[in-house]
């Protein structure tokens, strides 16, 4: 029986041109080996696939840049946060300059609810940029 931490070796066949590109990425990103790079790619794909499954609790980080002087914007953002059907684990607020603020919100919940919340925030008048970074906990 294999332990979760056992390393299993297997072969992958690639066209030479793809292997050359792979090696360039491994070197360019300072990975220790092809295996490390490929493991990261697999995890990234698994996380991406998890965002298509509403039965899994996921994690996202919402980054928002907005003009805080815009009429009622901060109150509307707070209302959306208080009414959210997801968990807002924490928020960070940074004053970038006299007019612009940056907020990050760490979100937990179902994919569709996190995306709906993110879209609601992005649609507020006065929000200049709103981007959701999708992630999840992988078990490997």
């Amino acid at each position: 029986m294999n332990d979760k931490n056992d390393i299993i070796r297997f072969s992958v066949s690639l066209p030479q041109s793809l292997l050359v590109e792979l090696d360039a990425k491994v070197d360019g990103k300072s990975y220790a080996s092809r295996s490390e790079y490929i493991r990261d790619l697999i995890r990234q794909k698994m996380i991406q696939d998890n965002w298509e499954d509403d039965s899994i609790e996921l994690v996202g980080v919402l980054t928002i840049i907005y003009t805080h002087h815009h009429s009622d914007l901060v109150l509307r953002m707070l209302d959306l946060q208080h009414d959210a059907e997801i968990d807002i684990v924490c928020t960070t607020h940074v004053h970038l300059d006299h007019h612009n603020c940056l907020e990050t919100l760490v979100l937990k919940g179902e994919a569709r609810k996190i995306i709906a919340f993110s879209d609601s925030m992005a649609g507020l008048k006065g929000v200049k940029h709103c981007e959701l970074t999708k992630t999840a906990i992988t078990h490997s």
Side-chain angles (χ1 to χ4, degrees), residues 6-131:
D6 286 347
I7 300 294
I8 307 299
R9 288 183 174 80
F10 67 97
S11 297
V12 175
S13 300
L14 296 174
Q16 184 176 2
S17 60
L18 187 55
L19 182 61
V20 168
E21 285 185 56
L22 174 67
D23 286 341
K25 292 288 185 185
V26 170
D27 291 341
K29 294 183 179 273
S30 301
Y31 274 85
S33 67
R34 290 176 183 157
S35 293
E36 287 294 329
Y37 185 75
I38 290 170
R39 279 191 282 272
D40 277 357
L41 289 176
I42 292 169
R43 285 186 197 104
Q44 184 178 17
K45 177 62 174 149
M46 290 174 140
I47 288 169
Q48 200 174 41
D49 289 349
N50 284 343
W51 276 81
E52 297 172 14
D53 182 352
D54 263 345
S55 68
I56 300 171
E57 184 174 72
L58 299 165
V59 179
V61 178
L62 188 62
T63 303
I64 308 167
I65 295 179
Y66 62 93
T67 306
H68 73 267
H69 293 298
H70 202 279
S71 175
D72 292 341
L73 175 61
V74 174
L75 291 175
R76 287 182 286 144
M77 289 174 68
L78 288 174
D79 284 343
L80 284 174
Q81 291 176 44
H82 286 284
D83 295 339
E85 295 181 0
I86 57 173
D87 292 327
I88 300 173
V89 179
C90 72
T91 63
T92 303
H93 182 93
V94 178
H95 299 277
L96 297 174
D97 58 32
H98 183 69
H99 300 288
N100 297 292
C101 292
L102 165 75
E103 282 199 23
T104 59
L105 292 84
V106 177
L107 313 171
K108 279 176 54 177
E110 297 172 2
R112 66 181 172 79
K113 290 180 180 179
I114 291 175
I115 292 168
F117 174 79
S118 300
D119 290 346
S120 296
M121 294 292 273
L124 293 173
K125 192 170 185 175
V127 171
K128 295 181 173 183
H129 176 77
C130 187
E131 185 171 345

